[in-house]
Amino acid sequence: QLQLVESGGDLVQPGGSLRLSCVGIGFAFDHYSVGWFRQVPGKEREGISCVKRMGGPTRYVDSVKDRFTISRGDPDHTVSLQMNNLKPEDTAIYYCAADLNLFGDCELTMSKYKHWGQGTPVTVSS
C-alpha cells in the first residue's frame, strides 16, 4: 500500500531552521514527482515547492524562494525540505504529496496529486 510519512515539524524561533522529511513507502518513490504544501486553519492548502520525478527540476513559490530547498534521495525514498530563515508566517501544517506526473514540470496545485501524507506541524514563534 502506497504511503507517505512526513516528519521534522517543530517549534522554532524566527530566523531558525528546520528540515522536513517525506518518506515514500510501498512504491517506487523516485518515479513520482513530490510536492510540499502547507495549510493554515481557515485557508486553502498552498503548494510551496516540488521536485520532478527521477531527479528532475524543482519549483518554488516566491514566498519561500531562496529560503527553502527541496531535495530527494538522501536517504533513499526520501524527499526533504530544508527551511532556513523561518518567519512567523511560515507557521502551518506541512504536507507532502506524490503523483506520477509524467509530462511537464512538477506541479504546485493540490488537484495534481493523488497521494498525500498526514502532515507535520511547523510553528515559528519567539
Side-chain angles (χ1 to χ4, degrees), residues 31-33 52-54 99-106:
H31 289 234
Y32 284 65
S33 292
K52 183 73 175 178
R53 63 195 297 270
M54 305 300 288
D99 207 278
L100 279 173
N101 180 221
L102 295 177
F103 305 107
D105 293 336
C106 62

Side-chain angles (χ1 to χ4, degrees), residues 7-114:
S7 63
D10 206 343
L11 170 64
V12 63
Q13 292 187 346
S17 298
L18 282 176
R19 186 177 182 87
L20 305 184
S21 294
C22 173
V23 178
I25 301 170
F27 65 111
F29 196 39
D30 288 348
H31 289 234
Y32 284 65
S33 292
V34 175
W36 279 99
F37 293 73
R38 64 186 181 188
Q39 188 169 24
V40 175
K43 293 191 176 182
E44 289 189 358
R45 195 169 296 186
E46 172 194 23
I48 58 172
S49 183
C50 64
V51 58
K52 183 73 175 178
R53 63 195 297 270
M54 305 300 288
T58 59
R59 292 179 63 191
Y60 301 90
V61 293
D62 287 345
S63 60
V64 307
K65 201 173 293 182
D66 299 327
R67 298 190 299 126
F68 292 9
T69 303
I70 192 170
S71 61
R72 66 188 316 158
D74 183 22
D76 289 345
H77 309 295
T78 301
V79 170
S80 299
L81 186 69
Q82 177 67 41
M83 306 189 297
N84 298 329
N85 190 22
L86 283 160
K87 304 175 180 180
E89 52 263 41
D90 294 318
T91 296
I93 306 294
Y94 283 70
Y95 300 87
C96 68
D99 207 278
L100 279 173
N101 180 221
L102 295 177
F103 305 107
D105 293 336
C106 62
E107 300 281 355
L108 293 174
T109 305
M110 281 185 62
S111 62
K112 300 296 186 180
Y113 290 88
K114 182 177 180 181

